[in-house]
Amino acid sequence: MKHAWNIIMTSKLEESVKYYEDVLGLKVSDTINGPLNIVFMNDEAGLSLELIEDKNAAVINGEVVLVYTTPNLEKTISELNKKGYDTGEIISPNPNLQFINILDPNGVKLQIQE
């Protein structure tokens, strides 16, 4: 089995697009406007995200966690803070792992690990 892509239902489509551009460096690859507004986003490494606008979508309070890696957590934190995102404290449950957790506009938790 192979992971294909992630879908997030959102009532905050424009805010979500900006967030994923800023935080994960994703680029809009396609859009569909109609009864459902859909934005497809990708990066060079093959990460794919589909944002579907649903004006009735509720914030999910972090019940979903998407995990990403970075080669330099301190640099990533600095870049996100410059863009105005609160990254919180670094969590390090053991000497071989450190990460931050941040919420997207929909309450989806992103865990960024080094």
Side-chain angles (χ1 to χ4, degrees):
M1 191 175 307
K2 178 183 167 194
H3 179 263
W5 67 86
N6 298 308
I7 298 173
I8 298 175
M9 304 297 287
T10 179
S11 62
K12 303 172 183 177
L13 186 61
E14 289 178 24
E15 188 177 341
S16 296
V17 168
K18 181 180 181 333
Y19 179 88
Y20 285 101
E21 286 174 335
D22 286 350
V23 174
L24 296 181
L26 299 180
K27 305 287 185 219
V28 173
S29 60
D30 198 5
T31 59
I32 297 174
N33 296 306
L36 286 177
N37 294 318
I38 304 171
V39 176
F40 301 93
M41 303 185 78
N42 302 83
D43 71 4
E44 292 101 24
L47 174 63
S48 296
L49 178 64
E50 183 176 334
L51 298 169
I52 302 175
E53 185 174 42
D54 178 353
K55 295 291 186 189
N56 299 314
V59 173
I60 59 173
N61 298 320
E63 295 171 14
V64 172
V65 180
L66 304 176
V67 181
Y68 300 93
T69 61
T70 181
N72 186 327
L73 188 58
E74 292 288 341
K75 181 179 176 189
T76 298
I77 289 169
S78 176
E79 290 170 357
L80 293 175
N81 288 336
K82 285 178 188 172
K83 293 177 181 177
Y85 296 101
D86 180 12
T87 56
E89 297 295 319
I90 294 175
I91 300 164
S92 185
N94 69 59
N96 300 318
L97 176 64
Q98 61 177 0
F99 60 88
I100 56 170
N101 289 319
I102 56 177
L103 296 179
D104 85 350
N106 309 292
V108 174
K109 186 184 292 183
L110 296 185
Q111 184 176 103
I112 303 175
Q113 299 182 357
E114 180 177 270

